[in-house]
Amino acid sequence: MLLLLFPFLAFVVLFTTQKRANAWAGGLAVATTLVGLVVVGDLFVQYFDHPQSFQFDWLQLANLTFKITFRIDNLTLAMLVLVHLVALLVQIYSISYMQHDTGRWRYFAFLQLFIFSMLGIVMAGDLIVMYIFWELVGLSSYLLIGFWHEKPRAVWAAKKAFLLNRVGDIGFLAGILLIIASFPGLLQFGEESLPSNVFDTVYADSSRLPLLTAIGLLLFCGTIGKSAQFPLSAWLPDAMEGPTPVSALIHAATMVAAGVYLLARIHFMLTPDALLVIAVIGTITMLLAAYRALFQTDIKKLLAYSTISQLGLMVMAMGINAREASLFHLFTHAFFKAGLFLVAGVVLHLPPLLNPGEGERPTLVGQGVRLNWLFWTYTLCAAALVGFPFTSGFLSKDMILIRAFEWAHVRGGAYWVVPILGILSVGLTAAYMARQWKTIFWGDYESPADHHATPLTERIPLFVLAGLSVFVWFSWNPLNADSSWLFRYLNPVNSEEVDALPLVAVFHYTVPVVSVLIAFLGGWLGYVSVGTEVGWFQKITTFYQTIKATFEHWWLQIKHWFMLLRQHDEEQTHTLFLIVPLQKIAHWVSWFDQRLIDTTVNGLGYLTVIVAHIVGRIDRMVIDGTVNGLAWVTGFVGNRTRNLQNGRVQSYFVVMLVGVLLLMFWILK
């Protein structure tokens, strides 16, 4: 509970003191995270290989009791180290990076809120607790992406991220509600916490398997949103509008990895059909994002597409039952991708170059020679991302590819497409990283002599992250992840399943070799494509532009109707916002409202008014006329009769005379 209390208190303190905390906000944030890391070390000693769950009664509904559950196991401990370590390095980096920003107190307050939310996800012992903190992470992301709220594009990107994440979270919540209604025991994480007959009952009754598959896919919707999987991946590149350290922490290392962490927690309940869908979605995301990254010139957006591609690889690994390999890549990727983003932050703070463009350095050169430490830091992290030997990325990525080939070997047929596309994505990764590497460090433009003096608080985190991209921290054997302590002991509960995977020896030798060869080929093609008038990349680009032009020529209307997202437009920001299909639906609803509902309502209104006028005339002329006529007659007769009895003797004699005459006429008749 202290791990949750520390960042939350720091958030409260910073948010209440506001601008007065600008001078010491960074120091408080770093100290809080450092203390949390020490507490995690103590938890490691107590709970490593000894899973524990802590429960508190929350509320009672009918016969169902909801509990607040926290769980500590090996996976939790490893994730706690990852979150605290990356957050600590990013906040140290941010002290100098954000030193001229007047909203530093708000920046570090939001970071502490994010850390609090992310720790809640990591330590959640059931799906309900995870969902609570899941939404808090979405709020933190919204606040940090739109941190520079004076920039319309940053506000737009924050809204876009928030809305697309809500789409995925609706499915996540629906899955939780289905579990509550059908399998309440599945709310808890960890197979050892389940009644032994839960899955026996489900698998014995095949009619309930589709329901369990639907639950797994609905929960997977949370991963699609949070980890930017197809088709909800468009928010992550635009999220780069936030400060660069935010991109390193939230959108490269921890937040987007929450979706993969969710799959690791619910993996035991996923049916084969659900796993197949997950593998397909991950493969599509991995390939499309790598392809899109080829055409990016913005440093941060290229890294964002790279993150989407790597997350797709992790999700694909979950789908092929390579759970531990996926988690292994989650950990290695967090360090070298955070390092790449922080390098991008240093590059973007270098002196202005010729027409660099917002967030772009297409002509940056010579900096690698002058800032050797930056060059080697970037090179090492990029090599780990590509998966070159002697890096952590080589161990984790090739372990996923080996498992993918084993998986396809057992099933055969079309299943071979998944590992083959995985190998292809390695080549695409090498190509776009080589392009960026050459663009940043090896161009023809000479930067000013008085280059930016990078503070020590920015260098140290980069050195640490680059060092953690080397293989030795994860395995003594640089060429085999099977001997990795992290891979073998990440979750000892499932270690027997790891051993039971079909091991085809030939894949353990051929896949890494082929992967490295493809990486070198892709890197060479990406390198030579920069600065050449005619090259492989130009041909690919020309082909891409031709296909795009053809598509736009023949299918412009279809594209207009089915385009999922519209780019930010300053002039139309109040009339066209984000999601075009919703706008189309709004127009259809408006037409239906005006033409049908309004016409019907107005017609009924006109008819009612006409009937009211008719009823009013009948009321006035017939009913009121009859009543008023009778009253007038009565009054008239009364007035005439009253004149006969006016108290005058003469009048009485006249009445008596007339009465006698009438009586005589009646008698005579």
Side-chain angles (χ1 to χ4, degrees):
M1 301 307 296
L2 287 176
L3 289 179
L4 293 175
L5 182 63
F6 290 150
F8 184 74
L9 286 179
F11 163 73
V12 172
V13 169
L14 292 174
F15 210 77
T16 52
T17 54
Q18 298 191 0
K19 291 183 179 180
R20 291 171 293 174
N22 271 342
W24 44 269
L28 176 64
V30 169
T32 302
T33 307
L34 184 60
V35 171
L37 191 59
V38 173
V39 174
V40 172
D42 180 64
L43 292 178
F44 236 106
V45 175
Q46 296 184 52
Y47 298 112
F48 185 74
D49 278 348
H50 296 88
Q52 295 288 335
S53 292
F54 306 91
Q55 292 185 341
F56 310 93
D57 287 340
W58 182 23
L59 57 88
Q60 181 82 27
L61 290 178
N63 297 325
L64 189 61
T65 301
F66 292 93
K67 297 179 179 293
I68 299 294
T69 307
F70 294 99
R71 177 179 174 82
I72 300 293
D73 56 21
N74 287 3
L75 177 57
T76 304
L77 294 171
M79 286 294 295
L80 288 175
V81 172
L82 175 68
V83 172
H84 279 91
L85 183 56
V86 175
L88 177 64
L89 295 174
V90 167
Q91 289 178 114
I92 293 174
Y93 179 95
S94 299
I95 291 176
S96 59
Y97 189 90
M98 301 292 292
Q99 62 182 339
H100 300 299
D101 198 296
T102 57
R104 293 190 300 279
W105 64 272
R106 187 162 48 89
Y107 171 82
F108 285 104
F110 292 162
L111 280 184
Q112 289 299 304
L113 179 63
F114 166 77
I115 295 170
F116 164 75
S117 307
M118 191 67 202
L119 293 178
I121 290 179
V122 170
M123 294 192 292
D126 61 54
L127 284 168
I128 294 178
V129 175
M130 176 176 279
Y131 183 78
I132 294 171
F133 287 101
W134 192 273
E135 295 302 315
L136 283 174
V137 164
L139 170 64
S140 307
S141 174
Y142 170 78
L143 295 173
L144 285 166
I145 296 172
F147 174 75
W148 287 318
H149 52 78
E150 65 277 5
K151 295 170 55 179
R153 189 173 180 86
V155 175
W156 168 80
K159 293 177 181 178
K160 182 177 182 179
F162 190 82
L163 290 177
L164 290 185
N165 272 272
R166 297 292 72 71
V167 173
D169 292 351
I170 289 173
F172 188 16
L173 179 59
I176 294 175
L177 296 176
L178 268 181
I179 289 178
I180 294 174
S182 307
F183 311 104
L186 295 183
L187 285 174
Q188 304 294 320
F189 293 143
E191 294 179 71
E192 72 278 0
S193 63
L194 293 174
S196 59
N197 61 347
V198 169
F199 287 106
D200 294 340
T201 303
V202 173
Y203 284 100
D205 183 6
S206 59
S207 63
R208 305 197 75 186
L209 276 177
L211 177 60
L212 193 60
T213 300
I215 288 174
L217 292 178
L218 285 172
L219 296 178
F220 175 59
C221 289
T223 297
I224 292 177
K226 198 71 73 185
S227 292
Q229 297 298 288
F230 175 85
L232 299 179
S233 57
W235 67 269
L236 189 56
D238 293 304
M240 300 301 107
E241 294 297 327
T244 299
V246 169
S247 303
L249 177 63
I250 295 183
H251 307 113
T254 52
M255 172 191 161
V256 292
V260 180
Y261 179 76
L262 169 64
L263 288 180
R265 282 303 192 193
I266 66 172
H267 197 268
F268 66 90
M269 73 171 71
L270 298 175
T271 63
D273 291 339
L275 288 173
L276 181 60
V277 173
I278 291 171
V280 171
I281 293 295
T283 303
I284 293 173
T285 305
M286 169 187 65
L287 193 65
L288 286 182
Y291 174 74
R292 292 290 301 274
L294 283 173
F295 305 98
Q296 295 299 316
T297 56
D298 184 287
I299 295 176
K300 290 172 63 177
K301 279 195 174 182
L302 183 145
L303 295 177
Y305 279 111
S306 172
T307 298
I308 297 173
S309 180
Q310 297 303 304
L311 290 169
L313 178 65
M314 299 176 208
V315 170
M316 181 264 283
M318 287 290 178
I320 63 173
N321 267 321
R323 176 180 179 272
E324 277 68 26
S326 177
L327 289 172
F328 189 16
H329 194 57
L330 184 154
F331 282 90
T332 60
H333 173 265
F335 295 121
F336 56 71
K337 183 54 67 67
L340 288 171
F341 268 107
L342 296 186
V343 168
V346 175
V347 171
L348 294 175
H349 273 193
L350 290 172
L353 303 179
L354 296 176
N355 301 322
E358 183 180 357
E360 300 180 359
R361 287 295 190 267
T363 57
L364 177 60
V365 195
Q367 298 287 1
V369 177
R370 299 186 179 202
L371 300 177
N372 288 318
W373 65 271
L374 186 65
F375 170 81
W376 289 110
T377 300
Y378 179 94
T379 301
L380 186 54
C381 292
L385 174 62
V386 174
F388 285 126
F390 304 104
T391 64
S392 60
F394 172 81
L395 293 171
S396 57
K397 180 179 288 188
D398 281 7
M399 180 51 64
I400 292 177
L401 295 177
I402 290 170
R403 294 289 188 240
F405 275 96
E406 292 173 354
W407 176 79
H409 175 75
V410 172
R411 289 160 178 79
Y415 292 94
W416 284 102
V417 173
V418 171
I420 291 173
L421 293 180
I423 289 289
L424 177 60
S425 73
V426 173
L428 294 176
T429 302
Y432 63 69
M433 290 309 296
R435 283 179 55 79
Q436 189 180 75
W437 182 70
K438 183 179 181 181
T439 300
I440 293 176
F441 296 107
W442 297 103
D444 300 326
Y445 176 71
E446 189 74 13
S447 62
D450 53 342
H451 62 73
H452 177 70
T454 308
L456 195 61
T457 52
E458 292 185 19
R459 296 191 187 192
I460 292 177
L462 284 171
F463 293 155
V464 174
L465 292 170
L468 290 172
S469 301
V470 181
F471 74 92
V472 70
W473 299 103
F474 301 94
S475 173
W476 289 109
N477 186 341
L479 303 177
N480 187 3
D482 282 324
S483 59
S484 168
W485 63 269
L486 180 60
F487 180 71
R488 300 297 298 177
Y489 299 105
L490 199 55
N491 194 341
V493 173
N494 290 334
S495 59
E496 294 181 359
E497 296 181 9
V498 177
D499 295 331
L501 286 173
L503 298 178
V504 181
V506 65
F507 293 139
H508 283 257
Y509 300 102
T510 57
V511 171
V513 172
V514 173
S515 172
V516 172
L517 291 177
I518 292 293
F520 275 110
L521 176 62
W524 177 75
L525 290 175
Y527 184 86
V528 300
S529 69
V530 178
T532 56
E533 295 182 359
V534 179
W536 289 98
F537 183 75
Q538 279 67 29
K539 293 180 179 179
I540 295 174
T541 305
T542 302
F543 176 75
Y544 169 75
Q545 295 295 339
T546 302
I547 295 297
K548 182 179 179 182
T550 303
F551 176 81
E552 291 179 348
H553 176 72
W554 293 104
W555 301 101
L556 185 61
Q557 293 300 320
I558 296 178
K559 179 183 176 183
H560 176 73
W561 281 87
F562 289 95
M563 183 172 54
L564 292 179
L565 296 170
R566 186 182 295 275
Q567 292 297 317
H568 178 260
D569 189 337
E570 294 288 349
E571 297 180 357
Q572 298 178 325
T573 184
H574 298 296
T575 56
L576 294 177
F577 179 71
L578 278 182
I579 303 179
V580 173
L582 292 182
Q583 187 184 27
K584 300 296 183 186
I585 293 172
H587 283 302
W588 294 335
V589 171
S590 176
W591 178 88
F592 182 81
D593 187 32
Q594 294 175 4
R595 298 296 179 87
L596 296 181
I597 297 179
D598 284 357
T599 300
T600 303
V601 172
N602 293 337
L604 290 174
Y606 291 140
L607 181 61
T608 303
V609 171
I610 293 172
V611 172
H613 282 297
I614 295 174
V615 171
R617 287 182 178 272
I618 293 174
D619 188 37
R620 289 192 302 272
M621 297 177 66
V622 178
I623 298 177
D624 287 354
T626 302
V627 173
N628 294 334
L630 290 174
W632 180 85
V633 170
T634 303
F636 177 80
V637 173
N639 287 331
R640 302 289 81 76
T641 304
R642 184 175 59 186
N643 290 332
L644 298 177
Q645 299 184 8
N646 53 15
R648 295 177 182 178
V649 177
Q650 297 92 326
S651 298
Y652 295 157
F653 283 148
V654 172
V655 171
M656 289 175 62
L657 178 62
V658 172
V660 170
L661 290 175
L662 290 174
L663 181 62
M664 290 176 63
F665 282 125
W666 181 72
I667 293 172
L668 291 175
K669 184 180 178 180

